[in-house]
Amino acid sequence: MTTERFNVEGLRVVILGGAGGIGSALALGFRRSGAHVIVVGRDAGKLAQAQRLLTEGPGPAGRTLQADLGRPAGIEAARAATEEAIGPADCLICCQGVTTIKPAFELSEEEYDAIFEANAKSVFFSCISFARGMTARESGSIITVTSLSAHSGWARAAAYGASKWAVAGMTQS
């Protein structure tokens, strides 16, 4: 068996929400495997930390981009900026996410909206934005990262679980 079909060297990978946790590990792995990586997020401090990781060790130096992915206009601006920096994405990884841990009856409407905006709405419109170019080129991959809570739920995280179920449903659709 060859590993040729799993080779990512030279691919352009955009990771949304990649400044921490799973996204950061994916960014580092793709970069060390030879991919050109851009991590997009909103937290300047986390992005600065990610930038250090993306320039140390083997592989092409990665980049970071600060962007608000909560609205389609911000997503379009981020897509345009990543294309300007490295060209069109060969792979988009959506792993953005936030939560508020508390009983559902204590969750405010604003907290609920913030969770769904970050975890579901931004993923939906990010996939659409990047998929347009991939469809036109007849090439590309989109990976969405959900959570175990998308399959079994978590106590004190009802909105988070529902938002991750939404991403699983979008991905299946």
Side-chain angles (χ1 to χ4, degrees):
M1 179 178 152
T2 69
T3 58
E4 185 176 310
R5 55 186 284 193
F6 300 107
N7 183 6
V8 299
E9 190 169 341
L11 292 182
R12 298 170 301 253
V13 179
V14 177
I15 303 177
L16 307 180
I22 293 170
S24 181
L26 288 168
L28 194 56
F30 271 97
R31 185 177 84 66
R32 287 186 175 164
S33 297
H36 301 280
V37 175
I38 292 187
V39 168
V40 182
R42 62 180 169 190
D43 185 309
K46 286 183 179 178
L47 287 170
Q49 231 177 343
Q51 184 61 53
R52 283 191 292 279
L53 286 174
L54 291 171
T55 55
E56 297 172 352
R63 303 172 189 206
T64 59
L65 172 68
Q66 189 171 13
D68 178 5
L69 303 174
R71 301 278 182 268
I75 294 165
E76 287 298 323
R79 182 199 46 77
T82 62
E83 285 184 4
E84 185 176 314
I86 62 171
D90 296 304
C91 179
L92 171 69
I93 302 174
C94 297
C95 57
Q96 60 267 51
V98 299
T99 192
T100 300
I101 304 297
K102 63 168 67 169
F105 55 82
E106 294 177 10
L107 196 71
S108 71
E109 182 179 359
E110 292 77 19
E111 290 169 321
Y112 176 91
D113 288 345
I115 291 167
F116 265 81
E117 182 177 282
N119 298 1
K121 180 180 177 181
S122 72
V123 172
F124 180 83
F125 285 103
S126 295
C127 290
I128 289 171
S129 177
F130 282 82
R132 284 187 180 110
M134 291 176 178
T135 301
R137 292 187 308 278
E138 297 182 356
S139 177
S141 298
I142 297 175
I143 299 167
T144 58
V145 177
T146 63
S147 167
L148 289 174
S149 71
H151 304 282
S152 60
W154 285 351
R156 300 170 41 102
Y160 176 77
S163 70
K164 293 301 187 173
W165 274 74
V167 171
M170 285 185 268
T171 303
Q172 290 175 4
S173 295

